[in-house]
C-alpha cells in the first residue's frame, strides 16, 4: 500500500526516519527495499538525509522506501570505507554552512578549500562561519583577519562570532532562516551549539574537547535534519569530520571550482593549462601579484597532486 512522499530526516545504519509530506508531524521509521540497496554500488549509503523518497507498506506491515526521487544537489566525500568510493553527506539543500575554528580545534585552510571546491562543483551556495572567536589568542587576531580577507575577496560571506554569545543569536537565526542548511566542520567546531542558538527548544547535546588531542569528541553520531518552526526551513547536523577528501574530480576540472582561478583561466596561453609550470599562465601571474592568495593556490596544487 502506497503511503506517500516524504523527506528523510534521520539516517542510522539501515534505518531511516521519514517525514511524510501530507503528515509532517508523524515521522515514520522505514527500511530500504532490498533491490534499491543493490542499485548504488559506488556509495556507502544509497540514501542520505534530505532525500525525497516514496514510502509503501509491505504485506508484513513494515513501511519501506521504494523509490529515491531525483536530487537537486548533494554533497559527497571520499569514503573512509575502502570497499566503497564515496559517501553522501546530505541531499537537496539550499546552502552549506562551513563552521571554522582557528583554535580548539584548528581548521586548516586546506580543509576549508576542499569543502568549498566540492560545494562549488555541486552548485551549492556556501557561507563560512568562524566560530569561537572569544577563544582566539591575541597573537592569532591577524590570522583571523587573514581568513576573513581571503574568502571575502573571492565572494564568500564570512561571519566571525562566538555562538555562546547571546549577541550572535540574531546573526545565526538570519543565516538559517527559511532555508534547508547543512552544517559541516571539524568535531568540536560548535555545530550543535549554533543550532541550539537558532532553535533553543532543540537542546542538542554538545561536548567538550578531548584533553589528549585538543579535538572534538563525536557527540553527534548520526546525520539528522531538525525542523526550525520559528524560523522556517530546517538544518541538517551531521557527525563532525576530521578530514575531507575530494572524490569524482578530473584533474583538469579542479581549477574551475576555484572562483578566482575560473575567472582567469581563459587568459592563459594554453587552453589545457594546469597552472603549474606552463608559460604565460594568467593564474600563476595573479599569484605572484598577490591577486590570488598563496594559500588558495597551494590548496589547488595539493588537490592536483592527490588526485592522481
Amino acid at each position: 500500500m502506497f503511503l506517500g512522499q516524504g523527506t528523510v530526516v534521520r539516517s542510522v545504519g539501515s534505518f531511516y526516519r521519514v517525514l511524510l509530506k501530507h503528515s509532517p508531524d508523524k515521522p515514520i521509521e522505514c527500511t530500504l527495499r532490498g533491490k534499491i540497496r543493490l542499485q548504488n554500488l559506488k556509495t556507502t549509503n544509497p540514501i542520505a538525509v534530505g532525500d525525497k523518497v516514496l514510502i509503501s507498506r509491505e504485506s508484513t506491515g513494515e513501511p519501506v522506501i521504494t523509490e529515491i526521487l531525483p536530487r537537486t544537489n548533494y554533497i559527497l566525500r571520499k569514503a573512509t570505507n575502502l570497499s566503497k568510493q564515496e559517501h553522501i553527506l546530505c541531499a537537496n539543500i539550499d546552502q552549506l554552512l562551513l563552521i571554522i575554528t582557528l583554535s580548539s580545534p584548528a581548521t586548516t585552510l586546506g580543509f576549508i578549500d576542499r569543502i568549498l571546491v566540492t560545494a562549488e562543483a555541486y552548485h551549492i551556495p556556501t557561507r563560512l562561519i568562524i566560530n569561537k572567536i572569544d577563544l582566539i589568542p591575541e597573537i592569532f587576531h591577524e590570522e583571523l583577519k587573514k581568513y576573513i580577507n581571503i574568502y571575502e575577496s573571492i565572494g564568500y560571506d564570512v561571519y566571525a562570532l562566538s555562538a555562546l554569545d547571546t549577541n550572535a543569536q540574531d546573526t545565526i537565526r538570519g543565516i538559517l532562516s527559511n532555508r534547508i542548511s547543512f552544517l559541516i566542520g571539524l568535531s568540536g567546531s560548535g555545530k550543535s551549539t549554533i543550532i541550539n542558538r537558532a532553535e533553543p527548544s532543540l537542546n542538542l547535546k554538545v561536548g567538550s574537547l578531548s584533553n589528549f588531542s585538543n579535538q572534538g569528541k563525536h557527540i553527534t553520531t548520526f546525520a539528522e535534519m531538525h525542523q526550525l518552526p520559528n524560523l522556517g526551513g530546517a538544518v541538517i547536523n551531521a557527525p563532525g569530520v576530521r578530514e575531507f577528501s575530494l572524490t569524482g574530480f578530473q584533474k583538469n576540472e579542479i581549477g574551475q571550482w576555484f572562483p578566482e582561478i575560473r575567472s582567469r583561466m581563459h587568459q592563459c596561453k594554453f587552453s589545457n593549462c594546469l597552472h603549474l609550470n606552463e608559460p604565460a599562465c594568467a593564474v600563476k601571474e595573479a599569484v605572484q601579484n598577490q591577486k590570488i592568495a598563496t594559500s588558495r593556490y597551494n590548496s589547488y596544487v595539493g588537490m592536483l597532486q592527490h588526485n592522481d
Side-chain angles (χ1 to χ4, degrees):
M1 181 179 71
F2 179 64
L3 295 179
Q5 177 182 329
T7 301
V8 176
V9 296
R10 181 171 174 175
S11 170
V12 184
S14 58
F15 295 92
Y16 305 93
R17 180 174 294 170
V18 177
L19 287 184
L20 288 177
K21 196 172 184 180
H22 60 76
S23 183
D25 298 327
K26 296 179 181 179
I28 294 181
E29 304 294 334
C30 305
T31 55
L32 183 61
R33 184 170 280 176
K35 68 178 183 179
I36 299 180
R37 280 200 299 270
L38 298 174
Q39 285 174 355
N40 197 339
L41 300 178
K42 289 187 177 181
T43 62
T44 58
N45 56 330
I47 292 183
V49 171
D51 267 327
K52 308 294 183 184
V53 296
L54 300 183
I55 307 291
S56 292
R57 194 179 298 280
E58 301 278 74
S59 58
T60 59
E62 178 188 16
V64 296
I65 295 172
T66 58
E67 186 176 345
I68 306 166
L69 299 180
R71 298 171 174 130
T72 58
N73 59 41
Y74 52 89
I75 286 286
L76 286 175
R77 65 178 286 195
K78 185 176 287 187
T80 54
N81 178 354
L82 296 180
S83 67
K84 302 291 183 181
Q85 294 181 2
E86 302 163 339
H87 181 76
I88 310 170
L89 295 176
C90 64
N92 303 316
I93 60 174
D94 296 321
Q95 66 176 351
L96 183 148
L97 301 182
L98 175 49
I99 314 303
I100 299 164
T101 43
L102 271 62
S103 63
S104 305
T107 309
T108 66
L109 291 168
F111 177 88
I112 294 170
D113 292 336
R114 287 190 294 275
I115 291 175
L116 291 180
V117 161
T118 301
E120 286 279 342
Y122 291 100
H123 308 291
I124 297 172
T126 302
R127 292 172 163 179
L128 283 64
I129 298 179
I130 303 177
N131 190 24
K132 300 187 179 182
I133 61 170
D134 55 317
L135 299 182
I136 299 175
E138 189 172 346
I139 58 173
F140 289 121
H141 284 185
E142 286 302 315
E143 192 78 359
L144 173 61
K145 292 180 183 177
K146 172 185 171 185
Y147 274 56
I148 294 172
N149 289 338
I150 287 174
Y151 296 103
E152 282 190 339
S153 69
I154 51 179
Y156 291 104
D157 291 333
V158 183
Y159 304 84
L161 51 81
S162 170
L164 292 176
D165 186 344
T166 55
N167 294 328
Q169 186 173 32
D170 286 345
T171 299
I172 292 170
R173 289 167 68 88
I175 294 169
L176 294 173
S177 180
N178 295 313
R179 298 179 178 90
I180 306 298
S181 306
F182 174 63
L183 273 65
I184 188 170
L186 296 175
S187 300
S189 60
K191 299 185 301 300
S192 295
T193 300
I194 287 172
I195 296 172
N196 284 338
R197 277 297 179 200
E199 195 69 56
S201 63
L202 291 173
N203 196 27
L204 301 183
K205 186 182 293 187
V206 298
S208 57
L209 295 180
S210 163
N211 291 329
F212 175 73
S213 65
N214 201 36
Q215 292 185 335
K217 304 171 186 176
H218 288 293
I219 300 300
T220 304
T221 56
F222 51 83
E224 185 165 11
M225 177 186 288
H226 303 280
Q227 304 302 311
L228 302 174
N230 294 318
L231 299 178
V235 59
I236 299 173
N237 194 22
V241 295
R242 289 180 180 162
E243 60 181 38
F244 188 97
S245 299
L246 300 185
T247 182
F249 288 88
Q250 298 297 319
K251 212 169 187 180
N252 61 358
E253 70 177 4
I254 292 176
Q256 67 182 291
W257 306 126
F258 284 76
E260 66 274 48
I261 293 179
R262 182 170 63 237
S263 66
R264 295 175 171 89
M265 60 196 311
H266 299 297
Q267 301 169 25
C268 295
K269 180 177 180 180
F270 299 103
S271 60
N272 61 347
C273 184
L274 286 178
H275 323 300
L276 295 173
N277 302 308
E278 300 89 340
C281 172
V283 171
K284 285 171 55 184
E285 182 180 340
V287 175
Q288 292 166 0
N289 294 334
Q290 300 182 335
K291 293 180 179 179
I292 291 179
T294 302
S295 66
R296 290 277 290 171
Y297 179 73
N298 289 341
S299 288
Y300 165 73
V301 173
M303 291 178 205
L304 289 185
Q305 293 172 343
H306 288 91
N307 206 59
D308 290 329

